[in-house]
Amino acid sequence: MGRTLAEKVWESHVVARAEGEPDLLYIDLHLVHEVTSPQAFDGLRAAGRPVRRPELTMATEDHNVPTIDIDKPIADPISRTQVETLRRNCNEFGVPLYSLGNVEQGIVHVVGPQMGLTQPGMTVVCGDSHTSTHGAFGALAFGIGTSEVEHVLATQTLPLKPFKTMAITVNGALPEGVTAKDLILAVIAKIGTGGGQGYVLEYRGEAIESLSMEARMTICNMSIEAGARAGMIAPDETTYEFLKGRERAPHGVAWDEAVQTWRGLVTDDDAEFDAEVVIDASTLSPFVTWGTNPGQGLPLSSSVPNPEDFENEVDRSAAQRAIEYMGLTAGMPLKDITVDTVFLGSCTNGRIEDLRAAAQVIEGRKVADGVTMLVVPGSVRVRLQAESEGLDKVFIEAGAQWRQAGCSMCLAMNPDKLTPGERSASTSNRNFEGRQGPGGRTHLVSPQVAAATAVTGHLSAPTDLVNA
Amino acid sequence: MEKFTVHTGVGAPLRRSNVDTDQIIPAEYLKRVTRHGYEDALFSAWRKDPDFVLNQPAYSLSSVLVAGPDFGTGSSREHAVWALQDYGFKVVLSSRFADIFRGNAGKGGLLAAEVEESVIERLWEVLDAHQGAQITVDLVECRVRAERIDEPFVIDEYVRWRLLEGLDDIGISLKHEVAIGEFEHRRPEFLPTTA
């Protein structure tokens, strides 16, 4: 029987296999940031262990760093200590680090692909659940905890039980104005926040094949929001085109050899998935969340649901609680929801294509009175590219704030956060209670919806602006 | 890691589904660089509510958390496991755990035991009827017991063995050091390096 893409990558990384034990898998690339690594480095020190392969490890500062005044010391002393701890650890253990101020600094999941470090068929891990992003290249990439970070630093391997595989087949074409973000939010709403537990998702079908690499990263990024540790898309010409010429991608003869290998990284025709979900892309429209988990989403044109309409008691009480926390009323049109803040950025939607899409919507328009819009590029390189295209001016002229690179308001570990009761339209990935600041309320949206919402002050699609 | 065999302690009912790791420990507390001292951070937003279960005197010494489905979703932060342990929890019972949380729990020695949703409901009834009631979680037999309840729970067999033996994962993997070295020689040369 044939094998799936995920099984092929898995099999090619097995270092040791024994009955009754997890497989020991080799890790090709380990990405590190300041939040989930300090205790792992401490563990190495306590055991007297070195980092086995520092040259397969790369660190960047992203979760904690400020997005203004980056030339000054970090104001929050606890954040500063954490960032300084990473610098000390990387220096001591020989791990390459891109610090604040370096042109390669940025969100770890934006930096890896842009340097060409993420390649098809690799195993990629990071102490961050959004490591699933890298699956867009046909890599098996997943988030790990701090104990596993220490394990990979020490051994360059991880003991793992095989995942099951689920095909998410998206047929047809996405309608005009419907984005990768809308698609993945619709997938999560369909299968639920636990639907992918234990699975690697493989996104396939016409609609997926026609997406850019940036859009594919948005899709794979949010696999974890459906409970799946990893999401993958088979590499194709779009993937090779993106990688070719990047600093860490193979060059010359090695490139040809690599592409030859990568072409085999597809699910065989006779392979069987453990589960399959089929979606018709042509039925989709801009999608937003109304609740406090990413599965609580609906088309923007619909209304806040009535908890009584949920069949299952668990869903009913979760909806009740979410509507209360979000300060909404059952039955109100989603487009009537007014926001205080619009956040454009994150590892989900902080890449150049996302900024271009939002800029196109907001160009020549103004951010509504009383609304704050934060634009936070995913990396310094994205910021520089956007500035070379004049996108910074478009945002600034519209009244938005143009910031430095980092995770920022996605998880509010730095000073960018909502105040209690404040409401955002956010291109990030999680709408959990307090995720963007204690008491904050988050609606997850695409970059285009974020930009249109900034203009009107209430949840809106770009098409709503025609008559505005 | 300490060995885990049988634990008996006060059960705390957490009647919520989708308890994500941002609720277990908000990001603000992740700035610390230590491995311990997160007891204040556990459910910190919910603990501001005087009615929250852990604010009830009967549950102040609880060590078995009985939670709704999809416990531990979201962020990979192992701090969620540390916060539960620092507070005093030895066991979390749920009908569904998020994968990364389940993995982190196993590494840190917190028992994430999966039981049927109906068992969770019955445990909640027991805990409501007798606040401060004790629950026994037996990793040797893989059973959870409380009053008239005596039901099996599911845990990965390998994780169970490691918890019973109190074994360190890195030490186990390093036994394969020769195989790791051999694998490294076979890796294609076109693969990238960071330095």
Side-chain angles (χ1 to χ4, degrees):
Chain A
M1 197 180 72
R3 294 178 302 166
T4 62
L5 166 60
E7 287 160 351
K8 288 182 183 180
V9 179
W10 183 286
E11 283 301 322
S12 65
H13 287 82
V14 175
V15 171
R17 174 174 280 167
E19 185 69 31
E21 288 179 31
D23 285 349
L24 192 64
L25 280 208
Y26 198 80
I27 302 303
D28 291 319
L29 176 65
H30 184 191
L31 303 169
V32 173
H33 62 86
E34 74 274 19
V35 178
T36 55
S37 65
Q39 299 84 355
F41 283 111
D42 275 350
L44 290 185
R45 250 189 302 269
R49 289 170 175 146
V51 172
R52 183 181 175 89
R53 299 294 300 271
E55 80 282 16
L56 302 184
T57 313
M58 188 270 278
T60 179
E61 300 164 1
D62 56 8
H63 281 63
N64 248 304
V65 297
T67 55
I68 46 170
D69 296 334
I70 63 162
D71 49 338
K72 299 188 184 124
I74 298 175
D76 176 346
I78 311 174
S79 290
R80 190 168 68 231
T81 300
Q82 194 167 59
V83 170
E84 284 168 356
T85 302
L86 178 71
R87 290 174 188 172
R88 232 180 9 255
N89 283 331
C90 286
N91 187 39
E92 181 183 337
F93 288 91
V95 173
L97 165 69
Y98 300 108
S99 281
L100 202 56
N102 188 298
V103 71
E104 300 297 352
Q105 181 266 338
I107 306 175
V108 67
H109 309 308
V110 177
V111 172
Q114 103 192 345
M115 292 180 85
L117 277 171
T118 306
Q119 296 171 20
M122 289 172 64
T123 47
V124 181
V125 299
C126 173
D128 187 282
S129 60
H130 291 110
T131 310
S132 57
T133 311
H134 307 263
F137 292 80
L140 181 60
F142 48 90
I144 56 179
T146 298
S147 294
E148 290 171 309
V149 170
E150 184 183 340
H151 196 288
V152 177
L153 289 173
T155 70
Q156 205 59 35
T157 65
L158 267 184
L160 288 163
K161 281 271 160 103
F163 302 112
K164 291 179 285 181
T165 57
M166 183 188 293
I168 308 269
T169 305
V170 190
N171 294 320
L174 287 171
E176 174 90 23
V178 181
T179 69
K181 182 65 165 286
D182 303 309
L183 169 56
I184 189 64
L185 284 172
V187 167
I188 299 163
K190 186 180 173 86
I191 71 174
T193 55
Q197 272 169 29
Y199 290 96
V200 171
L201 310 183
E202 184 184 331
Y203 304 95
R204 52 214 309 257
E206 279 172 83
I208 301 295
E209 286 161 19
S210 64
L211 294 174
S212 67
M213 285 315 295
E214 282 89 347
R216 293 179 189 186
M217 284 189 256
T218 300
I219 303 259
C220 289
N221 171 276
M222 289 192 73
S223 302
I224 181 69
E225 264 53 74
R229 256 175 117 166
M232 298 177 90
I233 294 172
D236 59 11
E237 296 306 320
T238 305
T239 320
Y240 312 146
E241 188 63 30
F242 180 96
L243 278 170
K244 194 157 194 181
R246 291 196 183 253
E247 188 194 341
R248 298 285 164 173
H251 292 88
V253 182
W255 171 261
D256 298 333
E257 191 198 332
V259 171
Q260 189 68 24
T261 307
W262 297 341
R263 288 196 192 282
L265 293 171
V266 290
T267 292
D268 295 328
D269 289 339
D270 56 343
E272 279 180 23
F273 289 93
D274 298 301
E276 181 156 13
V277 172
V278 180
I279 288 174
D280 177 359
S282 68
T283 62
L284 298 175
S285 61
F287 214 87
V288 301
T289 62
W290 52 267
T292 54
N293 73 55
Q296 291 175 324
L298 281 170
L300 175 59
S301 55
S302 55
S303 301
V304 176
N306 188 335
E308 297 307 317
D309 295 342
F310 288 90
E311 284 175 20
N312 171 315
E313 164 57 27
V314 171
D315 291 343
R316 193 158 47 233
S317 64
Q320 182 68 51
R321 191 178 152 77
I323 288 171
E324 209 170 291
Y325 179 86
M326 293 295 289
L328 302 173
T329 322
M332 76 184 282
L334 293 172
K335 285 187 179 177
D336 286 356
I337 297 172
T338 57
V339 304
D340 308 295
T341 297
V342 171
F343 173 63
L344 175 60
S346 85
C347 60
T348 310
N349 280 128
R351 284 171 286 268
I352 188 67
E353 194 179 278
D354 302 311
L355 302 191
R356 285 179 190 142
Q360 202 184 355
V361 173
I362 213 163
E363 186 161 20
R365 297 186 161 108
K366 292 283 177 201
V367 173
D369 284 344
V371 173
T372 304
M373 182 178 188
L374 230 61
V375 185
V376 183
S379 69
V380 177
R381 293 264 186 216
V382 169
R383 185 174 199 267
L384 296 176
Q385 176 67 31
E387 287 175 355
S388 77
E389 296 176 20
L391 304 185
D392 56 326
K393 292 195 182 64
V394 171
F395 289 118
I396 291 166
E397 276 165 22
Q401 300 178 25
W402 180 246
R403 296 293 190 93
Q404 302 285 340
C407 298
S408 180
M409 198 183 270
C410 173
L411 83 168
M413 277 192 82
N414 79 346
D416 309 334
K417 52 185 78 170
L418 299 178
T419 54
E422 244 188 319
R423 185 184 302 280
S424 78
S426 176
T427 65
S428 55
N429 41 58
R430 289 186 176 138
N431 52 340
F432 298 152
E433 291 180 23
R435 169 80 177 183
Q436 297 192 290
R441 296 159 167 166
T442 303
H443 297 277
L444 300 177
V445 300
S446 71
Q448 289 86 332
V449 168
T453 300
V455 172
T456 63
H458 53 88
L459 293 181
S460 305
T463 47
D464 297 326
L465 298 181
V466 178
N467 306 317
Chain B
M1 200 163 74
E2 231 176 281
K3 290 183 181 181
F4 191 116
T5 49
V6 180
H7 174 77
T8 300
V10 173
L14 186 64
R15 287 177 172 272
R16 290 182 196 194
S17 61
N18 269 296
V19 176
D20 59 77
T21 52
D22 275 76
Q23 305 316 313
I24 299 172
I25 180 169
E28 185 63 28
Y29 295 94
L30 273 48
K31 295 178 185 179
R32 300 176 186 169
V33 296
T34 54
R35 170 69 178 75
H36 292 286
Y38 293 93
E39 57 275 9
D40 59 324
L42 181 71
F43 299 126
S44 72
W46 291 348
R47 270 160 78 188
K48 291 190 183 109
D49 173 3
D51 293 333
F52 183 63
V53 57
L54 296 186
N55 290 330
Q56 310 311 307
Y59 301 117
S60 63
L61 293 174
S62 52
S63 59
V64 180
L65 189 66
V66 185
D70 295 314
F71 188 86
T73 56
S75 152
S76 65
R77 57 190 71 168
E78 197 161 327
H79 309 66
V81 170
W82 304 338
L84 285 160
Q85 290 180 313
D86 288 345
Y87 185 87
F89 285 108
K90 306 282 187 207
V91 181
V92 181
L93 297 169
S94 173
S95 62
R96 273 205 308 265
F97 289 97
D99 290 334
I100 300 180
F101 178 85
R102 191 203 307 265
N104 287 342
K107 305 284 177 195
L110 176 75
L111 177 57
E114 192 177 304
V115 297
E116 294 285 325
E117 204 168 325
S118 61
V119 175
I120 295 288
E121 297 279 353
R122 285 166 58 208
L123 286 168
W124 280 343
E125 283 167 22
V126 166
L127 297 175
D128 283 352
H130 307 283
Q131 288 203 356
Q134 299 210 320
I135 297 177
T136 294
V137 182
D138 182 340
L139 186 59
V140 182
E141 305 271 327
C142 282
R143 293 195 82 82
V144 53
R145 304 186 186 101
E147 297 195 357
R148 282 185 300 279
I149 298 170
D150 185 351
E151 295 286 344
F153 67 78
V154 176
I155 182 167
D156 178 84
E157 191 48 40
Y158 184 74
V159 173
R160 174 174 168 266
W161 169 71
R162 279 185 45 257
L163 289 173
L164 286 170
E165 300 289 328
L167 284 175
D168 165 7
D169 247 0
I170 296 178
I172 299 172
S173 290
L174 283 177
K175 286 185 194 152
H176 296 289
E177 199 151 12
V178 173
I180 296 171
E182 285 169 1
F183 184 92
E184 286 176 329
H185 279 292
R186 295 197 302 270
R187 295 177 75 233
E189 280 184 24
F190 62 75
L191 285 169
T193 59
T194 58

